[in-house]
Amino acid sequence: MQKMIQETLSQFQTHYGYPAELVIQAPGRVNLIGEHTDYNDGFVLPCAINYSTFIASKKRTDHQVNIIAVDFDGKDNFDLGKPINKSEQGWANYVRGVFKYVQELHSDFTGIDLIIHGNVPLGAGLSSSAALEVSIATTIKTLYHLPIDPKTLAKICQKAENKFVGMNCGIMDQFISTLGEKDHALLIDCRNLETQSISMPTNLSVVIINSNVKHGLVDSEYNLRRQQCEEAAQILNVPKLRDATIELLEQHKTKMSNVVYRRAKHIITENTRTLEAAKALSENNITKLGELMQAGHLSMKDDFEITAPAVDALVDIVKSVLGNKGGVRMTGGGFGGCVVALAPHDMIEPIRKVVEKEYYAQTGLRESFYICHAMNGAGKVSV
Ligand code: GLA
């Protein structure tokens, strides 16, 4: 962490020729359970992780915004006095979108010089995009003392992703990157944004394993799932799938396609599992938690159809070592990405060894392994 901060600061000095006045960090996240439930007004159980985006910055007196993204080897700049339009560089749109929607609420800030540098694995389902958005919004807010409360800040970032980038994500990632709590997972009610902090059992590690499966159609498949959920809610005559029960779904089964039925079944059962998992976690009932994570994974595989064969193989390999001493499932939006396991500390090495041998043998792919801790959300870094 200190190394990342020093690198960010020295990059700032090198590029701009003067020192930065502020460093902000915003973390990535891992979701323990509650997948695709956020945009259905349901429940999620994520924690922020110790992998972050860092931004070094300094105010300017004109209206120029200068951005250097070290990890993308990219540069961007625009004028806050003119309409903010889309860039051809994908990464820059997360930044531009946040500036645009902060400006919509608070037009009274001037330019900024920025350096962006981070270690959230990109495209792995650990919310590197939310970390980027939240770090930008927190930088603008902090530099110019803007009165933006954390929930509004998360919503501005979500809006940037929905309306500027074009990915119809829910609120989970931006919310946990802003409001994460050290050593806790947050049970978030995505309807009213109320939270319950659940302390992470000290006997368990959060292990994240990237399958390194890449899928080209993540955004379009994601947006399609969202449409299918909306279709189901309409047929069930409820505002959101959060309001539906399994009984209601069964009564209307013949009025919808089998695909839409299975999408709704995942969301309805996943909401129940998430509430039960929060309870199991708070009671340190690891056997129950493991069962819920297993059921959640199968529901994503068979009903929501967002896993991939290699990801399923990875889950099975980890499960074969863990047994009922922990839980494992795919995490995040899906179509590749990571699996999350909650495992006793002394099982990390056995898991690592078996995965190293079996995953490649079964899939021809090599995994990446991360041991994580639940961290605080975005904020100022003391340098
Ligand atoms: C992505 C989205 C989130 C959420 C998850 C799936 O990470 O950004 O809003 O929908 O997928 O749970």
Side-chain angles (χ1 to χ4, degrees):
M1 188 108 150
Q2 278 310 321
K3 185 168 167 270
M4 295 292 305
I5 297 166
Q6 287 316 322
E7 280 171 14
T8 313
L9 280 169
S10 80
Q11 291 271 2
F12 192 98
Q13 176 75 45
T14 309
H15 284 281
Y16 295 110
Y18 41 80
E21 63 175 283
L22 176 73
V23 181
I24 289 289
Q25 67 81 31
R29 66 97 188 91
V30 66
N31 190 21
L32 304 181
I33 195 161
E35 226 61 87
H36 287 253
T37 42
D38 58 354
Y39 57 80
N40 288 294
D41 273 6
F43 300 94
V44 292
L45 187 64
C47 59
I49 54 173
N50 49 318
Y51 288 83
S52 295
T53 298
F54 296 89
I55 295 190
S57 62
K58 187 168 171 62
K59 293 193 281 286
R60 294 178 61 90
T61 48
D62 60 10
H63 285 82
Q64 186 70 13
V65 175
N66 296 314
I67 309 150
I68 289 164
V70 177
D71 313 301
F72 297 104
D73 207 9
K75 275 189 186 180
D76 189 32
N77 51 67
F78 53 92
D79 185 339
L80 288 171
K82 297 187 181 146
I84 301 175
N85 298 318
K86 272 192 107 158
S87 157
E88 299 205 330
Q89 305 183 85
W91 67 267
N93 287 323
Y94 296 91
V95 179
R96 288 181 172 219
V98 172
F99 267 92
K100 184 181 171 93
Y101 294 117
V102 172
Q103 212 186 29
E104 208 174 66
L105 286 183
H106 300 275
S107 53
D108 47 348
F109 63 92
T110 53
I112 311 183
D113 289 332
L114 302 151
I115 288 275
I116 306 171
H117 184 28
N119 61 3
V120 185
L122 302 175
L126 300 177
S127 288
S128 54
S129 39
L132 176 55
E133 292 151 4
V134 171
S135 59
I136 290 288
T138 309
T139 296
I140 309 172
K141 170 187 157 158
T142 312
L143 276 178
Y144 286 99
H145 306 287
L146 303 180
I148 306 174
D149 66 82
K151 289 182 186 172
T152 305
L153 187 135
K155 284 187 198 162
I156 290 173
C157 294
Q158 183 197 14
K159 187 170 177 185
E161 188 147 347
N162 290 170
K163 300 229 183 304
F164 204 86
V165 176
M167 160 78 171
N168 276 328
C169 64
I171 189 69
M172 168 169 70
D173 306 346
Q174 293 79 7
F175 191 98
I176 192 71
S177 181
T178 309
L179 284 130
E181 286 176 25
K182 190 168 177 355
D183 300 329
H184 290 78
L186 289 191
L187 175 65
I188 307 169
D189 179 336
C190 297
R191 171 158 279 167
N192 58 21
L193 297 187
E194 282 177 8
T195 59
Q196 191 187 328
S197 315
I198 317 265
S199 107
M200 295 293 281
T202 49
N203 55 327
L204 296 183
S205 292
V206 181
V207 180
I208 298 174
I209 313 172
N210 190 349
S211 67
N212 289 317
V213 171
K214 298 259 183 281
H215 190 299
L217 298 172
V218 178
D219 289 10
S220 57
E221 287 287 350
Y222 183 96
N223 290 347
L224 176 64
R225 293 300 179 285
R226 190 163 177 158
Q227 274 168 26
Q228 290 165 332
C229 290
E230 281 159 11
E231 186 182 333
Q234 210 170 26
I235 297 169
L236 298 177
N237 199 20
V238 290
K240 294 276 183 176
L241 283 180
R242 151 77 175 270
D243 305 294
T245 58
I246 258 315
E247 292 74 28
L248 186 73
L249 179 66
E250 292 305 326
Q251 280 163 22
H252 289 75
K253 188 172 178 176
T254 53
K255 296 189 192 133
M256 54 183 83
S257 68
N258 179 262
V259 169
V260 170
Y261 165 79
R262 284 184 293 118
R263 303 300 187 248
K265 184 172 163 223
H266 166 74
I267 300 297
I268 296 169
T269 56
E270 183 82 345
N271 272 327
T272 309
R273 278 189 293 272
T274 305
L275 290 172
E276 287 180 7
K279 185 165 179 287
L281 190 65
S282 66
E283 291 167 353
N284 210 346
N285 184 346
I286 305 307
T287 308
K288 178 75 183 169
L289 188 65
E291 285 166 11
L292 291 163
M293 288 174 80
Q294 168 83 353
H297 184 81
L298 292 177
S299 178
M300 291 191 288
K301 172 175 176 276
D302 299 329
D303 289 335
F304 219 60
E305 295 179 289
I306 54 171
T307 68
V311 175
D312 298 333
L314 188 52
V315 165
D316 289 346
I317 295 165
V318 175
K319 187 80 193 156
S320 73
V321 186
L322 254 185
N324 65 359
K325 299 209 166 60
V328 56
R329 59 184 277 285
M330 187 197 79
T331 184
F335 311 105
C338 292
V339 312
V340 59
L342 290 174
H345 308 306
D346 62 359
M347 293 190 83
I348 295 178
E349 282 317 308
I351 291 173
R352 198 197 291 268
K353 283 212 179 84
V354 175
V355 169
E356 204 175 288
K357 185 160 155 269
E358 287 297 321
Y359 185 58
Y360 182 72
Q362 290 183 27
T363 66
L365 291 166
R366 295 275 184 211
E367 73 287 352
S368 321
F369 224 85
Y370 307 91
I371 311 296
C372 294
H373 319 281
M375 297 297 284
N376 282 329
K380 199 169 158 173
V381 170
S382 39
V383 287

